[in-house]
Amino acid sequence: MIAMLPFPDISPEIFSISLFGTTFALRWYALAYIAGILIGWRIVVRATRTPRLWKNDTPAMTPAQVEDLLFWVILGVILGGRLGYVLFYQPGVYLSNPLRVLQLWEGGMSFHGGALGVILAGWLYTLRHKVPTISTGDMVCLGLAPGLFLGRLANFINAELWGRPTDLPWGVAFPTDAAQYCPDVAGICARHPSQLYEALLEGLILGSLLIWMAWRRGALKREGLIGGTFLAGYGLARFAVEFVRQPDAQFVSEGNPLGLAWHVGGVGLTMGQILCLPMIVVGLVLILRARRRPA
């Protein structure tokens, strides 16, 4: 018998109430978004209230400006994440029925789209309020990791975005019919808990590294170093996890069982890996640029 871990009996809903014939539920995924944003906001506010972390002991923004920026970031995450999913993963489906774009309750959010939305929102904010663009990006990146960590944990609780089948002892038997559809596996199908891999790499490890760099190594004194480290770190972590993550169903075909968005002779890249490459390149450029400048 193959060793595997049973899926924990945790409901995706924390609680639900019925009012006037309609059921309202608080889900772990929504709570993860809320908690992640609040924790990230407090980390950034703490950084702005610690002048020694900044060049010339002058923070790039005030705590009040951080609160104003928070609204722009939330808007960028929601609009960018939804539109990114539509454009990157299922453009044909939504072009045939554009109104489905507004049906957020059906699910479908892209991190890369959300990242682009945050970048655009942050850039517009800096232009309007005349604050340093790159340093603002550093602050936003400093506060993103808690949301990534909690969001991936919520993905695990929802039994979604699981990995490919595995016979490793920490493989998880996800309970959904889709997760148990493994033609090459006899009996119960265990899969890589890729959500937990991402929570560890993109959330806990990368977030801890950024906080250590900011508070112990003076990284906020070098514009772009925190932002570049986040972009390159996330890109590399996600690129690696894609090798064990279940491929996107829309890219899977008889001649392409791995769901590669680009491939030649069965060797290629998933859509997630393709979208990570620009992040890695831009991140490395920002890191090199920051290191060449005096602190």
Side-chain angles (χ1 to χ4, degrees), residues 77-134:
V77 168
I78 296 174
L79 295 180
R82 183 58 172 173
L83 292 177
Y85 178 80
V86 170
L87 296 175
F88 297 149
Y89 292 97
Q90 292 190 334
V93 173
Y94 290 94
L95 284 176
S96 64
N97 186 3
L99 290 179
R100 287 190 61 187
V101 174
L102 303 177
Q103 297 174 354
L104 298 178
W105 56 89
E106 289 186 353
M109 297 285 283
S110 163
F111 169 81
H112 296 93
L116 290 174
V118 169
I119 291 171
L120 178 60
W123 178 65
L124 292 174
Y125 179 88
T126 60
L127 290 180
R128 180 174 180 178
H129 296 275
K130 296 180 174 56
V131 294
T133 299
I134 296 180

Side-chain angles (χ1 to χ4, degrees), residues 65 77 227 291:
Q65 287 175 319
V77 168
R291 290 182 64 86

Side-chain angles (χ1 to χ4, degrees), residues 246-265:
Q246 179 68 12
D248 298 298
Q250 59 268 33
F251 295 113
V252 177
S253 64
E254 184 176 348
N256 182 21
L258 295 180
L260 302 175
W262 172 86
H263 65 98
V264 177

Side-chain angles (χ1 to χ4, degrees), residues 2 13 22 42 102 159 193 217 220 257 292:
I2 298 177
E13 296 182 357
T22 302
R42 294 311 304 168
L102 303 177
R217 305 299 296 178
L220 287 171
R292 289 175 180 171

Side-chain angles (χ1 to χ4, degrees), residues 5 148-149 151-156 160-172 174 190-207 233-234 236-246:
L5 299 175
L148 290 175
F149 175 73
R152 294 309 183 192
L153 292 183
N155 289 145
F156 180 80
E160 61 188 4
L161 304 182
W162 18 259
R164 298 175 184 174
T166 180
D167 57 2
L168 292 171
W170 57 82
V172 175
F174 292 95
R191 293 180 175 273
H192 284 282
S194 54
Q195 317 96 322
L196 301 184
Y197 299 166
E198 292 188 72
L200 178 64
L201 294 174
E202 305 162 6
L204 187 60
I205 294 177
L206 182 57
Y234 177 90
L236 290 169
R238 175 67 181 271
F239 192 96
V241 173
E242 284 286 317
F243 285 110
V244 298
R245 191 173 178 178
Q246 179 68 12

Side-chain angles (χ1 to χ4, degrees), residues 3-228:
M4 66 181 71
L5 299 175
F7 186 76
D9 185 18
I10 303 176
S11 172
E13 296 182 357
I14 303 173
F15 67 84
S16 61
I17 58 174
S18 295
L19 293 174
F20 309 108
T22 302
T23 300
F24 300 90
L26 177 61
R27 302 175 65 89
W28 287 107
Y29 197 75
L31 183 61
Y33 261 91
I34 296 170
I37 290 172
L38 291 177
I39 294 171
W41 166 57
R42 294 311 304 168
I43 290 174
V44 174
V45 168
R46 179 70 179 272
T48 61
R49 290 176 175 169
T50 311
R52 67 175 179 81
L53 302 181
W54 304 86
K55 189 173 183 178
N56 299 324
D57 293 336
T58 305
M61 297 174 67
T62 66
Q65 287 175 319
V66 173
E67 293 184 11
D68 290 340
L69 177 61
L70 182 62
F71 170 78
W72 293 65
V73 169
I74 294 173
L75 196 63
V77 168
I78 296 174
L79 295 180
R82 183 58 172 173
L83 292 177
Y85 178 80
V86 170
L87 296 175
F88 297 149
Y89 292 97
Q90 292 190 334
V93 173
Y94 290 94
L95 284 176
S96 64
N97 186 3
L99 290 179
R100 287 190 61 187
V101 174
L102 303 177
Q103 297 174 354
L104 298 178
W105 56 89
E106 289 186 353
M109 297 285 283
S110 163
F111 169 81
H112 296 93
L116 290 174
V118 169
I119 291 171
L120 178 60
W123 178 65
L124 292 174
Y125 179 88
T126 60
L127 290 180
R128 180 174 180 178
H129 296 275
K130 296 180 174 56
V131 294
T133 299
I134 296 180
S135 289
T136 299
D138 287 336
M139 290 193 296
V140 171
C141 290
L142 185 63
L144 288 178
L148 290 175
F149 175 73
L150 295 173
R152 294 309 183 192
L153 292 183
N155 289 145
F156 180 80
I157 293 173
N158 287 347
E160 61 188 4
L161 304 182
W162 18 259
R164 298 175 184 174
T166 180
D167 57 2
L168 292 171
W170 57 82
V172 175
F174 292 95
T176 63
D177 292 338
Q180 286 303 310
Y181 177 70
C182 305
D184 298 327
V185 177
I188 298 176
C189 179
R191 293 180 175 273
H192 284 282
S194 54
Q195 317 96 322
L196 301 184
Y197 299 166
E198 292 188 72
L200 178 64
L201 294 174
E202 305 162 6
L204 187 60
I205 294 177
L206 182 57
S208 298
L209 173 63
L210 295 178
I211 289 175
W212 175 77
M213 289 175 60
W215 265 265
R216 297 297 183 185
R217 305 299 296 178
L220 287 171
K221 297 176 187 286
R222 299 178 181 269
E223 286 189 341
L225 185 55
I226 289 290

